[in-house]
Amino acid sequence: MKITMIGTGYVGLVTGTCFAEFGHHVTCVDKIEDKINQLQAGKIPIYEPGLDALVAKNVSEGRLRFTTNLEDAVPEAEAVFIAVGTPSSRRGDGYADLTYIYAAAKEIASFLRGYTIIVDKSTVPVGTARQVARIISEENPQADFDVASNPEFLREGAAIEDFMRPDRVVIGVESDRSEQRLREVYQPLFLRDTPIVSTSIETAELTKYAANAFLAVKISFINEIAAVCESVGADVTALAKGIGMDGRIGSKFLHPGPGYGGSCFPKDTLALMRIVQEYGESLRIVEAAVEVNSAQKARMVKKIRDMLGGSEAGKTIGVLGLTFKPETDDMRDAPAATILPALLEKGARIKAHDPKGMKEAKEYLPEGIEYMENAYAACEDSDAVVLMTEWNQYRALDLAKIKKIMREPVFIDLRNVYDPQTMKDLGFSYVGVGIK
Ligand code: UGA
């Protein structure tokens, strides 16, 4: 099938490339010339494991190309996916900014030829697909098309695996022929028995928000339980096992940490709350999850301060990991971007390392943070080490060496990577999240 992907951001690029890997012929379009030039030259603007090789393979096999020209990309397409950004609006009210979606709808309308499905891949409020349909009909009354919603559930850092082996595919459709066409797009997954949830467009749009909100609630739940564990002297790791093995609860997303971050949970929880407000409803459980998440970051600042004897002023802190999670260079809403400025402001010296995110971090973090070439350089002469992001390369550090090069052997493990007893035996003053 001939597919056009509008937007070569994270979702568009991964999805377009994976569709090409399925055997479809995919054209990815973006307005940013520089990005398209880079992609045409084989350079991938984001870090996502395996993506560079998959792009190169599909380009060389003639199934994937990049252009800025809609006229070159849209007329032949049987399916046009819209995967442009939906950031929080600049008004700061939490609403999703749909400017780019509506602009894309307007721009593709006049180039549609023959029956085409227009699929919203971006995370959009309920009713957006209908607006897209209205815009296209107004621009081009002759256009023969259907709109559909096909939310994505990809995790950064594991996006290709998530795409190729999803738990389910959700499609929101309103006609048999659009359903048929979307099923054809995902045909290779049906051969692997991937369940498909076919529903109304509105249900599909809301399903995406509900999924992310539920996961955010789950993380905030375990973070709050972790705080209770600290107070009562219980162990959250064992507790998470104890509840997670119950199939009704499930063990995933029960890892306490410095709070969820990234481009999705923080933005989508706020957008969902705004959507329900418009309908005169409220989602108090999601509101609570958002509050708990910001409190969690403040709690982490206090934890670090306490471990430094009550004040971070004049102390050197080595920070391992800056991105919101491992295997990405993404710094959007990373807990580090809240926690580190708070420490810096109170007079701490911060020496940080991240395997992939230091270039991005410089844009998100205030001046004054020192970026080190490896984990050990960050730990050297420090009064405390904070493990912020659980990159694999921080899971087997030479701890004896670290203890030797630190000024004070204080290890603050915000991802519970290390075993408390082992750390104690090594002579560290160690603290995790929700463990004794
Ligand atoms: C999330 C969802 O997991 C995807 O299904 C969804 O498609 C995506 O948002 C999106 O809407 O595009 P992502 O933001 O890439 O994916 O990352 P996650 O792996 O979900 O992690 C989000 C945050 O939660 C990270 O900061 C992570 O450290 C934190 N987290 C996750 C925890 O603190 N504890 C956990 O147990 C799990």
Side-chain angles (χ1 to χ4, degrees), residues 211-227:
N212 274 0
F214 188 88
L215 293 171
V217 167
K218 203 171 174 189
I219 296 167
S220 278
F221 175 81
I222 201 69
N223 281 338
E224 258 197 331
I225 290 285

Side-chain angles (χ1 to χ4, degrees), residues 88-96 270 274:
S88 286
S89 102
R90 288 203 185 145
R91 295 186 301 271
D93 50 13
Y95 280 100
L270 291 184
R274 293 295 163 264

